[in-house]
Structures are given as structure tokens and as C-alpha cells.
């Protein structure tokens, strides 16, 4: 199966992760009976995922540029 991830698919995942991060930040701000450390751990993991996803997108762009030359 040959199904390369396109940039728009990567950005769609990125947006979903960002929405979840914002939701958690709101939850943290409103202090909804959940341990703050657990929310902070989730936010940290989402940061790691979003950063990795952007690096992946940039790597794919770099590879495509090399192919074009």
C-alpha cells in the first residue's frame, strides 16, 4: 500500500493536536477536579507531538526539494 501523507493531512493532525492542547489548557485554567500534574503531562506530550509533526513536515518538504533538483 503506497499512501504518502500529504502536507494537508499532516496539518489536519497538527490542528487536532492543537485543539486538544487548548482544551487541556482551558481545563487547567478552570481547575476541573483533575490533578494539574496529569494535565501538564498531557500538554507536554502534545507539545512534543506537534513539534515532531512539524519537523516531519519540514523533512518531507526538504526531500521533495531534493527530488526536484
Amino acid at each position: 500500500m503506497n499512501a504518502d501523507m500529504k502536507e494537508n493531512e499532516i496539518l489536519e493532525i497538527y490542528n487536532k493536536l492543537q485543539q486538544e492542547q487548548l482544551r487541556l489548557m482551558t481545563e487547567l485554567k478552570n481547575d476541573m477536579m483533575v490533578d494539574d500534574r496529569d494535565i501538564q503531562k498531557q500538554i507536554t506530550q502534545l507539545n512534543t507531538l506537534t513539534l515532531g509533526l512539524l519537523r516531519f513536515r519540514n523533512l518531507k518538504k526538504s526531500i521533495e526539494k531534493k527530488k526536484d533538483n
Side-chain angles (χ1 to χ4, degrees):
M1 184 163 118
N2 187 9
D4 283 347
M5 284 186 83
K6 304 296 179 203
E7 184 174 3
N8 63 339
E9 293 172 311
I10 293 170
L11 291 176
E12 185 177 319
I13 294 168
Y14 176 83
N15 287 333
K16 287 180 182 180
L17 293 173
Q18 286 291 96
Q19 288 173 357
E20 180 64 9
Q21 186 177 15
L22 286 173
R23 186 191 68 75
L24 287 168
M25 291 172 74
T26 301
E27 188 175 320
L28 184 63
K29 180 181 173 185
N30 293 338
D31 200 28
M32 297 178 152
M33 297 176 43
V34 178
D35 188 4
D36 287 352
R37 289 173 294 176
D38 290 338
I39 294 174
Q40 290 172 347
K41 287 178 186 178
Q42 291 178 72
I43 291 170
T44 299
Q45 288 300 313
L46 287 168
N47 282 333
T48 301
L49 286 169
T50 55
L51 181 60
L53 198 56
L54 291 176
R55 287 180 176 163
F56 177 67
R57 182 200 64 184
N58 292 341
L59 175 62
K60 287 184 69 73
K61 281 183 173 183
S62 175
I63 292 168
E64 286 300 317
K65 282 183 182 179
K66 287 179 185 178
K67 286 181 183 179
D68 291 342
N69 292 335

